[in-house]
Short mmCIF file of all heavy atoms in Angstrom, two decimals:
data_model
loop_
_atom_site.label_atom_id
_atom_site.label_comp_id
_atom_site.label_asym_id
_atom_site.label_seq_id
_atom_site.Cartn_x
_atom_site.Cartn_y
_atom_site.Cartn_z
N ILE A 141 -29.61 -66.96 216.20
CA ILE A 141 -28.42 -66.70 217.04
C ILE A 141 -27.50 -65.70 216.33
O ILE A 141 -26.98 -64.78 216.95
CB ILE A 141 -27.67 -68.01 217.34
CG1 ILE A 141 -28.52 -68.90 218.26
CG2 ILE A 141 -26.32 -67.73 217.98
CD1 ILE A 141 -27.93 -70.29 218.45
N PHE A 142 -27.32 -65.88 215.04
CA PHE A 142 -26.45 -64.99 214.28
C PHE A 142 -26.94 -63.54 214.37
O PHE A 142 -26.17 -62.64 214.68
CB PHE A 142 -26.40 -65.43 212.82
CG PHE A 142 -25.74 -64.43 211.91
CD1 PHE A 142 -24.37 -64.28 211.90
CD2 PHE A 142 -26.50 -63.63 211.07
CE1 PHE A 142 -23.76 -63.34 211.08
CE2 PHE A 142 -25.90 -62.70 210.24
CZ PHE A 142 -24.53 -62.56 210.25
N ARG A 144 -28.93 -62.14 216.52
CA ARG A 144 -28.86 -61.62 217.90
C ARG A 144 -27.43 -61.29 218.30
O ARG A 144 -27.20 -60.46 219.17
CB ARG A 144 -29.47 -62.61 218.88
CG ARG A 144 -30.98 -62.62 218.85
CD ARG A 144 -31.57 -63.40 220.01
NE ARG A 144 -31.12 -64.77 220.06
CZ ARG A 144 -31.78 -65.83 219.57
NH1 ARG A 144 -32.94 -65.65 219.00
NH2 ARG A 144 -31.29 -67.04 219.65
N SER A 145 -26.45 -61.92 217.66
CA SER A 145 -25.04 -61.68 218.02
C SER A 145 -24.46 -60.43 217.35
O SER A 145 -23.40 -59.95 217.76
CB SER A 145 -24.19 -62.90 217.66
OG SER A 145 -24.03 -63.00 216.25
N ILE A 146 -25.12 -59.90 216.34
CA ILE A 146 -24.58 -58.75 215.60
C ILE A 146 -24.32 -57.54 216.52
O ILE A 146 -23.25 -56.95 216.43
CB ILE A 146 -25.47 -58.38 214.40
CG1 ILE A 146 -25.36 -59.45 213.33
CG2 ILE A 146 -25.10 -57.02 213.83
CD1 ILE A 146 -26.28 -59.26 212.14
N PRO A 147 -25.25 -57.16 217.42
CA PRO A 147 -24.96 -56.00 218.28
C PRO A 147 -23.72 -56.20 219.17
O PRO A 147 -23.00 -55.25 219.44
CB PRO A 147 -26.22 -55.85 219.14
CG PRO A 147 -27.29 -56.53 218.37
CD PRO A 147 -26.62 -57.63 217.61
N ARG A 148 -23.47 -57.43 219.59
CA ARG A 148 -22.32 -57.71 220.46
C ARG A 148 -21.01 -57.85 219.68
O ARG A 148 -19.99 -57.30 220.07
CB ARG A 148 -22.53 -59.02 221.24
CG ARG A 148 -23.53 -58.96 222.34
CD ARG A 148 -23.51 -60.25 223.18
NE ARG A 148 -23.34 -61.49 222.42
CZ ARG A 148 -24.35 -62.20 221.88
NH1 ARG A 148 -25.59 -61.77 221.99
NH2 ARG A 148 -24.10 -63.31 221.23
N GLU A 149 -21.07 -58.59 218.60
CA GLU A 149 -19.84 -58.97 217.90
C GLU A 149 -19.60 -58.18 216.62
O GLU A 149 -18.55 -58.32 216.01
CB GLU A 149 -19.88 -60.47 217.59
CG GLU A 149 -19.97 -61.32 218.85
CD GLU A 149 -20.14 -62.79 218.52
OE1 GLU A 149 -19.76 -63.21 217.40
OE2 GLU A 149 -20.62 -63.53 219.38
N GLY A 150 -20.56 -57.40 216.18
CA GLY A 150 -20.41 -56.67 214.93
C GLY A 150 -20.72 -57.56 213.74
O GLY A 150 -21.22 -58.67 213.89
N LEU A 151 -20.41 -57.07 212.57
CA LEU A 151 -20.70 -57.81 211.35
C LEU A 151 -19.69 -58.93 211.16
O LEU A 151 -18.50 -58.69 211.03
CB LEU A 151 -20.68 -56.88 210.14
CG LEU A 151 -21.77 -55.83 210.09
CD1 LEU A 151 -21.59 -54.95 208.85
CD2 LEU A 151 -23.14 -56.46 210.09
N VAL A 152 -20.19 -60.14 211.17
CA VAL A 152 -19.40 -61.33 210.90
C VAL A 152 -20.08 -62.03 209.73
O VAL A 152 -21.30 -62.07 209.66
CB VAL A 152 -19.37 -62.27 212.13
CG1 VAL A 152 -18.58 -63.52 211.84
CG2 VAL A 152 -18.82 -61.55 213.34
N GLU A 157 -19.32 -68.28 209.00
CA GLU A 157 -19.44 -68.70 210.38
C GLU A 157 -20.62 -69.63 210.66
O GLU A 157 -20.53 -70.49 211.52
CB GLU A 157 -19.58 -67.46 211.28
CG GLU A 157 -18.39 -66.51 211.20
CD GLU A 157 -17.11 -67.11 211.77
OE1 GLU A 157 -17.18 -67.87 212.73
OE2 GLU A 157 -16.05 -66.80 211.22
N TRP A 158 -21.74 -69.45 209.98
CA TRP A 158 -22.96 -70.10 210.41
C TRP A 158 -23.60 -71.02 209.38
O TRP A 158 -24.27 -71.98 209.74
CB TRP A 158 -23.99 -69.04 210.81
CG TRP A 158 -23.57 -68.25 211.99
CD1 TRP A 158 -22.84 -67.09 211.98
CD2 TRP A 158 -23.80 -68.54 213.36
NE1 TRP A 158 -22.62 -66.65 213.25
CE2 TRP A 158 -23.22 -67.52 214.13
CE3 TRP A 158 -24.47 -69.57 214.01
CZ2 TRP A 158 -23.27 -67.50 215.50
CZ3 TRP A 158 -24.54 -69.55 215.39
CH2 TRP A 158 -23.93 -68.52 216.12
#
Side-chain angles (χ1 to χ4, degrees):
I141 292 172
F142 169 76
R144 284 191 302 263
S145 72
I146 290 175
R148 287 188 321 273
E149 299 175 23
L151 294 178
V152 178
E157 300 293 326
W158 296 90

